[in-house]
Amino acid sequence: MTGNVVLLGFAVAGAPGLSIARSLTSLVAFLVGAALGGRLGVAMALASRRRWLLTAAWAEALLLVAAAIASIGLELGSATSPSRLYIVIVLTALAMGLRNATVRRLAVPDLTTTVLTLTLTAVAADSSVAGGDNPRMGRRVASVLLMFAGAAVGTLLLRWGLALPLVVSAIGVLAATVAYGDVPTSRNPSAGSGQTPLK
């Protein structure tokens, strides 16, 4: 969404080829998704951590699969089917908002879904070169490399249309959530993070 805010600023200032409507639609849908994710976290505060995470993951995956279905046959460079394009934008932004609200509630250090700037800063600022002791260096570097790999794989999958990377994303969400949900709470990095503990 940082990019959408920046692109919206460019579009308002008259930069060619940018859409105010698309950026605004994405931002509003993201905020709605984040609000729904927050509501889900509150509603499931007494549920087990695994149940809450799986509920959020299934909701996100269903949104992504719906976006994949809506995107079948959609050509991104074409002016045809603008309503279908907006459906894809809304569904994916809702999924992103839900994911970010969920990850924020988990409060795992150095593992945000959308912002790597602070992680990269921490890698350098906490390094032994800077006089630090390299805390969580493996996790920090892994999160940057995995974000890079995900972007590269997603771009390669776009060769077969927009639906395939969306479906792969939905499967990845469910697989990662199941794997994370099986980590015992005592080993969960969010323990002691100041967030309300989930059972």
Side-chain angles (χ1 to χ4, degrees):
M1 290 300 118
T2 304
N4 273 313
V5 172
V6 172
L7 291 174
L8 183 60
F10 289 162
V12 167
L18 298 175
S19 170
I20 293 174
R22 290 179 188 176
S23 291
L24 274 178
T25 299
S26 183
L27 285 166
V28 170
F30 175 84
L31 292 171
V32 170
L36 292 173
R39 277 246 184 230
L40 180 63
V42 170
M44 299 193 72
L46 298 179
S48 70
R49 180 174 63 100
R50 180 179 174 78
R51 182 169 169 232
W52 164 61
L53 289 174
L54 286 175
T55 301
W58 274 109
E60 180 184 348
L62 289 174
L63 288 166
L64 291 172
V65 169
I69 292 168
S71 74
I72 293 173
L74 183 67
E75 294 183 29
L76 294 179
S78 171
T80 60
S81 301
S83 60
R84 282 182 52 212
L85 177 60
Y86 279 93
I87 290 170
V88 173
I89 290 171
V90 167
L91 291 170
T92 54
L94 283 169
M96 284 181 60
L98 176 64
R99 174 192 310 149
N100 276 270
T102 303
V103 171
R104 182 178 180 275
R105 184 168 169 85
L106 281 173
V108 179
D110 305 312
L111 289 182
T112 61
T113 59
T114 52
V115 182
L116 289 182
T117 304
L118 288 177
T119 301
L120 288 168
T121 301
V123 166
D126 295 340
S127 69
S128 52
V129 173
D133 56 358
N134 301 307
R136 299 185 301 276
M137 183 63 71
R139 180 191 302 163
R140 291 171 174 176
V141 171
S143 68
V144 173
L145 293 177
L146 289 171
M147 186 72 78
F148 173 83
V153 169
T155 301
L156 292 173
L157 291 176
L158 279 172
R159 294 177 182 176
W160 292 277
L162 187 56
L164 182 59
L166 289 169
V167 170
V168 170
S169 295
I171 293 168
V173 165
L174 292 174
T177 302
V178 168
Y180 186 81
D182 285 337
V183 175
T185 306
S186 60
R187 290 182 52 217
N188 184 336
S190 64
S193 64
Q195 293 285 324
T196 303
L198 296 165
K199 297 179 182 178

